[in-house]
Amino acid sequence: MNDQAPVRIRRGFVDVDEGQIHYREAGQRTPGVPTLVLIHASPGSALTLEPLLRAFGRFRHVIATDTLGNGDSSPYWGKQ
């Protein structure tokens, strides 16, 4: 990856039993290199991790989720 090019952050959702988990990801998947997973402080959002996503995304695949009840993920209702 060109170190001068801006790192693109992609966003998406994953469906789980409790609702939807929002995530942000950057970088390219590379065989043999594990994905780096970032976890935000609570309460909080993966938005606060965007500088790290951009920095690490230059060299590897990195993903940060909004935990349930935070950011753009579904509210957390506890055990039902």
Side-chain angles (χ1 to χ4, degrees):
M1 176 177 279
N2 179 351
D3 285 342
Q4 302 305 314
V7 174
R8 182 172 169 234
I9 295 179
R10 299 170 301 278
R11 299 174 62 186
F13 289 89
V14 176
D15 291 323
V16 297
D17 289 343
E18 294 82 3
Q20 289 188 316
I21 301 290
H22 174 257
Y23 67 90
R24 298 168 198 270
E25 67 177 330
Q28 301 297 316
R29 290 185 178 98
T30 304
V33 178
T35 294
L36 177 62
V37 178
L38 303 176
I39 301 172
H40 66 78
S42 193
S45 162
L47 178 63
T48 62
L49 300 172
E50 280 201 4
L52 292 174
L53 284 162
R54 290 186 197 290
F56 288 120
R58 294 191 178 284
F59 309 104
R60 66 185 310 154
H61 183 239
V62 59
I63 188 166
T65 65
D66 289 334
T67 56
L68 284 172
N70 292 281
D72 291 329
S73 290
S74 296
Y76 177 70
W77 300 107
K79 292 187 178 186
Q80 309 247 334

